Amino acid sequence: MSKYKTLAFILPIIIVFSFFFLYPLVVLVVNSLHNDQGFTFVNYTQMITNAYYFKALLNSIILSILVTLATLVVSGVLAFFLARHNFPGKSLYFTLLTFPISFPGVVVGFMIIILFGSTGLIPMSIQKITGQSSMVLAYTIFGIFLAYLYFSIPRTIMMLFGAIKDFDYTLEEAARTIGATSGQAIRYVILPAVMPIFTSAGAIAFSTSMSAFGTAFTLSNQFDILPILMYTEFTLNFNIEVASAIAVVIGIIVVTINSGYQAVLKKGGALNDKNL
Amino acid sequence: MTKISNILLYLLVFFVSLFLILPIIVTIFGSFSFYWGTDMFSSGITGKWYKEVFYYYGDTILFTIIISLSTVISNIFLGTMTAFVFSRSNNRWLSVLEEILSLPMAIPGVAIALALIQTHSAIRESGLLILIGHVIFTFPLLFRTVLGTLRTRDFRSLDESAASLGAGPFYRFFYVIIPSIKSSILSGAIMVFLLSLGEFNITFFLYTPFTMTLPVGLYDSYSTLRIDIGSAFTVIFLILAIPLMLILHKLNQSSTYSRSGGV
């Protein structure tokens, strides 16, 4: 294929990406390096030095780490359960479990309101049984945690299940025959084999939580986490430079995690698996 | 020991399943209840909330479907053409370009939105900026799905034999390549439609009262704390999304889709 014909095929996307993706991102970074006095790094340094911004940064990171750990444990258990048990309706059950993958963040937030909101299922049931009004979890930081689990668990089950069901169980049986307990077989035979997929699922869960906006925003627009802080700075304080710096910080954390885990897996020679 | 851990296992599986599935069921049933409270259905069944959704958000739903379909059509053209070129060459520049074209999947939607609104607010009023944002954000899904299929060797030899018979690149693209990758274009198109249909993080920064999309409308109905209208509107979203999700399951592509963030 000649050079010109190649160019004719890819020119449209190059134009669209240059004008509406790369150029805007460059402007975003340039603006984040400005304030009233001109060029400055202060929008970035204050993320650490200013307690208000630092708290949001810390909250976002801690929340994402906790969500990732809880998701990996819960989804790991469910994926193993699904891989090892056959029962009627299993395929329907799996489909139902993974429906929430198609939900936008706002719908995920609403699902938490349905369960834990002020007119939600659980507070109302408790009120009906005990006669006292119960605590409403949905609009607290614990509500956000649950909401993030709601979108991470189905995605992670999907990713882990694909790898776990293809695992060669004769290896585990061999370990059991030579005297390994079921715990030892999991610890020394299965875990090393599924480690790469757990790493990549964890990295994806972390970066999704880190950049999630709609989910948290539906529950409350006042949480001190980075994406909501970015919205507040932009819409309410008209502070475009600071908002841009926050957006760049979220972007850098997410892109670093994503390329970082791929580099780690590549080094371990595990990246040939198409599931990763 | 094993007995207790088995019971714990089943309890965990049970509660996680309940956590994921129960709110969907409650939303569907609740959307038909006249009164939302401790005694659901005590005042009977109604379709009133659906009528109100169409009254308040009918235009929003229509606009969303137009945006999502336009996004799909744009990306079928852009994604397939680009993937065709990438599957044929191993140029160093092209592999750099491939990384760039995959970036919208990695960069948070809020950052893309903030970048777009600072540079192209002039075209915000028309809703065109929403369409462009959606095209950029969903491009990698179709592009990578089609490219993945094209990179398998069969297509290459198919393409080469057509070339050796004298077919030019444009003829080969439309009469040889396209028909043989129909199913991966289909799954890519469904993923793009689903992602565009549910896109909130970018759209929320770009919409005007006349260019509201479905997820923004959902947020609007939730934030006015009308749980009844909110649940009816959510069910309408589910009716649009769930059949597509089922097709993705059938095509074995739902795990690819699960990698796209955007919540």
Side-chain angles (χ1 to χ4, degrees), chain A residues 23 58 64-66 73-74 79 86 138 146 149 172 187 194 200 206 216 235 242 244 255:
Chain A
Y23 164 64
L58 216 56
S64 304
I65 290 176
L66 292 179
V73 171
V74 171
N86 275 317
L146 289 172
L149 284 184
E172 189 199 352
R187 166 74 186 75
V194 294
S200 73
F206 180 87
T235 325
V242 175
S244 303
V255 172

Side-chain angles (χ1 to χ4, degrees), chain A residues 58-71 145 148 202 205-211:
Chain A
L58 216 56
N59 280 349
S60 269
I61 293 175
I62 293 172
L63 177 69
S64 304
I65 290 176
L66 292 179
V67 168
T68 306
L69 293 178
T71 301
F145 174 75
Y148 283 22
F206 180 87
S207 43
T208 313
S209 304
M210 200 68 204
S211 51

Side-chain angles (χ1 to χ4, degrees), chain B residues 209-248:
Chain B
F210 301 104
T211 60
M212 204 190 250
T213 65
L214 204 155
V216 180
L218 282 172
Y219 173 75
D220 188 61
S221 71
Y222 300 158
S223 60
T224 49
L225 294 176
R226 292 298 304 272
I227 202 164
D228 34 30
I229 296 181
S231 58
F233 202 0
T234 308
V235 173
I236 291 170
F237 170 79
L238 295 180
I239 290 170
L240 290 169
I242 283 179
L244 295 172
M245 197 63 201
L246 288 177
I247 300 174
L248 275 189

Side-chain angles (χ1 to χ4, degrees), chain A residues 115-116 120-137, chain B residues 38:
Chain A
L115 283 179
F116 303 102
L121 194 68
I122 289 165
M124 280 199 319
S125 310
I126 292 176
Q127 194 179 354
K128 206 171 182 183
I129 295 163
T130 64
Q132 286 169 334
S133 62
S134 88
M135 214 184 89
V136 174
L137 278 179
Chain B
T38 17

Side-chain angles (χ1 to χ4, degrees), chain A residues 43-87:
Chain A
N43 297 330
Y44 288 98
T45 51
Q46 71 176 4
M47 301 281 297
I48 309 285
T49 55
N50 185 326
Y52 172 63
Y53 297 110
F54 188 61
K55 192 181 156 204
L57 176 67
L58 216 56
N59 280 349
S60 269
I61 293 175
I62 293 172
L63 177 69
S64 304
I65 290 176
L66 292 179
V67 168
T68 306
L69 293 178
T71 301
L72 286 180
V73 171
V74 171
S75 314
V77 169
L78 260 87
F80 271 109
F81 172 82
L82 280 163
R84 303 207 156 179
H85 292 77
N86 275 317
F87 47 88

Side-chain angles (χ1 to χ4, degrees), chain A residues 202-255:
Chain A
I204 291 173
F206 180 87
S207 43
T208 313
S209 304
M210 200 68 204
S211 51
F213 172 69
T215 312
F217 198 68
T218 304
L219 296 173
S220 160
N221 49 19
Q222 289 172 349
F223 286 116
D224 290 324
I225 54 173
L226 288 182
I228 289 184
L229 188 66
M230 189 208 96
Y231 166 81
T232 315
E233 291 293 336
F234 177 70
T235 325
L236 305 177
N237 303 343
F238 300 108
N239 206 337
I240 294 174
E241 286 92 357
V242 175
S244 303
I246 298 171
V248 173
V249 168
I250 304 172
I252 289 174
I253 295 176
V254 168
V255 172

